[in-house]
Amino acid sequence: MSPAKLQSTLQAAVAHHRAGRLAEAESVYRQLRAVAPKHFDVWHLSGLAALQQARAADAVEFLTRAHALDRKSTVCELRLAVALIAAGRTTEAETHLRRVVAAEPAHVEAWDKLAYVLKTQDRLAEAVTCHARVAALKPDYAPGWCNYGLTLSLCGRSAEALQCHDRALAADPSLVDARFARAQALQQLDRLAEAVEEYGRVLAAQPQHHEARSYRLLALQSLEEVSRETIWQEHQEYGRRVGPASARAWTQVPDPGRRLRLAILSPDLRMHSCAYFLLPLLEHLDRSAFELCLYHDHFREDAVTGRLRGMAAVWRNFVGQTGAAVEQVIRADAPDILV
């Protein structure tokens, strides 16, 4: 392909990309990767499109190739870090993010992402320091304040977290993530009536925000003025909103002689009340009848995690992964029962 033809073809791909026609853009990028394997923009934009389509593995591959062609591009290196985060490779992402902030100390997004990857490694004090840097660099950055508050909540500093979410909403009143996080902080502070009201505002903005509706149900059960009938009605409404179970087919072989594959998905496979209830059940599970898969969804792992992992034929940690990616892995594992 001549240089002129290459450039015009790349421009056509970029036009598709900017218009949101990602499948069409990817089709052209694929052709260009074959004929221009050393063209930085081809690999970089291919990686960006893959990232926008939630194709984390492809994004990592393409952006790694682009980064090798131009190690001075902080935009590319930041996107590579984001792709690595999406792929659950946060330790590698940290290395790239530190390179970005070393090159550009005022790079707000890189500091914010660095705080996140440190949090996923349970390095909360370091994460808080990065959040403070974001707040100092850009005091009106609403997502930064929201993320700051979420980390402070994990540190048990709920009152300070609430202040962060107030700052986020002052900067952007439409930021639903901050309103949801504010409601959680209120709930942690036992200001339950206020939390219920705030969850209601989240649901007014996003009626299908199932997590907010679930947290709201939990808070309602601790309010004496709420009747049992009202709580029952709220639970029924939750069921209606979530809708029926997926009708997609599963591929298990109905062999009565094999063990059933039992899978459990939880963020609490660690030192947590849920794990304390679960441990004796799994310790006495009939291993001749059941094969156990445990799916953890939290950055924190401890001695209780170790005990549970030792019982599992399959152990996975899904922290930070998208719902679609988690579903794909679970379907491939083919459990018979998923709790």
Side-chain angles (χ1 to χ4, degrees):
M1 186 179 289
S2 68
K5 178 64 173 176
L6 175 64
Q7 192 60 31
S8 65
T9 305
L10 180 58
Q11 288 174 351
V14 170
H16 284 306
H17 199 156
R18 287 177 174 164
R21 298 187 295 269
L22 297 180
E24 291 89 338
E26 166 55 22
S27 179
V28 182
Y29 289 143
R30 189 183 307 114
Q31 299 172 34
L32 292 173
R33 292 196 297 270
V35 299
K38 294 186 178 181
H39 196 297
F40 168 78
D41 287 335
V42 170
W43 289 106
H44 184 199
L45 294 172
S46 293
L48 176 59
L51 193 59
Q52 291 169 327
Q53 292 174 300
R55 293 161 39 221
D58 287 341
V60 169
E61 178 188 349
F62 300 156
L63 290 166
T64 298
R65 292 285 294 269
H67 178 57
L69 292 167
D70 183 0
R71 294 189 177 276
K72 293 183 179 180
S73 172
T74 54
V75 173
C76 176
E77 189 149 27
L78 176 64
R79 287 172 175 165
L80 174 55
V82 173
L84 287 164
I85 291 169
R89 296 161 59 178
T90 54
T91 303
E92 296 167 77
E94 179 187 350
T95 299
H96 291 287
L97 289 167
R98 290 198 181 279
R99 284 170 50 95
V100 173
V101 297
E104 298 185 23
H107 201 305
V108 170
E109 186 180 356
W111 281 112
D112 199 39
K113 297 294 184 187
L114 181 56
Y116 173 78
V117 300
L118 291 168
K119 180 167 65 174
T120 64
Q121 298 172 51
D122 205 8
R123 294 157 62 186
L124 298 182
E126 294 175 75
V128 166
T129 299
C130 293
H131 287 305
R133 179 71 68 95
V134 172
L137 287 170
K138 194 172 181 181
D140 61 346
Y141 183 51
W145 283 111
C146 179
N147 293 334
Y148 197 172
L150 290 170
T151 300
L152 288 172
S153 284
L154 289 171
C155 296
R157 296 161 61 179
S158 301
E160 295 169 81
L162 182 61
Q163 294 174 355
C164 287
H165 300 312
D166 285 340
R167 290 289 297 266
L169 289 167
D172 182 2
S174 68
L175 186 61
V176 174
D177 286 348
R179 194 162 298 284
F180 175 51
R182 184 178 191 275
Q184 290 178 294
L186 288 166
Q187 191 165 358
Q188 291 158 6
L189 291 166
D190 290 325
R191 293 165 58 178
L192 298 179
E194 294 172 81
V196 167
E197 289 182 6
E198 197 73 324
Y199 288 130
R201 295 185 186 100
V202 173
L203 293 169
Q206 291 185 4
Q208 294 302 110
H209 197 306
H210 300 317
E211 196 173 6
R213 198 174 295 278
S214 179
Y215 272 91
R216 183 171 176 273
L217 288 178
L218 183 62
L220 283 171
Q221 296 191 71
S222 297
L223 292 178
E224 293 183 1
E225 63 271 23
V226 179
S227 69
R228 294 176 66 184
E229 291 75 18
T230 297
I231 292 175
W232 169 239
Q233 291 166 5
E234 291 283 352
H235 278 78
Q236 289 182 308
E237 176 63 13
Y238 179 87
R240 282 190 290 270
R241 291 287 184 176
V242 171
S246 170
R248 288 180 56 186
W250 292 77
T251 58
Q252 288 82 345
V253 178
D255 178 2
R258 68 172 175 82
R259 292 188 299 168
L260 288 177
R261 177 165 272 205
L262 167 63
I264 296 174
L265 169 65
S266 173
D268 304 326
L269 303 182
R270 54 193 169 93
M271 196 174 292
H272 190 281
S273 56
C274 290
Y276 300 147
F277 284 111
L278 191 59
L279 272 167
L281 296 174
L282 298 186
E283 285 171 343
H284 294 88
L285 189 69
D286 184 353
R287 292 299 191 274
S288 68
F290 293 97
E291 181 183 19
L292 183 62
C293 303
L294 293 180
Y295 303 133
H296 193 34
D297 188 23
H298 198 277
F299 61 83
R300 184 163 292 156
E301 297 189 356
D302 51 31
V304 174
T305 307
R307 288 178 62 188
L308 288 163
R309 187 191 287 114
M311 302 177 194
V314 174
W315 170 274
R316 304 189 190 282
N317 193 322
F318 289 133
V319 66
Q321 306 220 9
T322 65
V326 170
E327 179 181 356
Q328 184 177 9
V329 172
I330 293 176
R331 285 188 177 276
D333 286 342
D336 298 289
I337 303 165
L338 174 63
V339 180

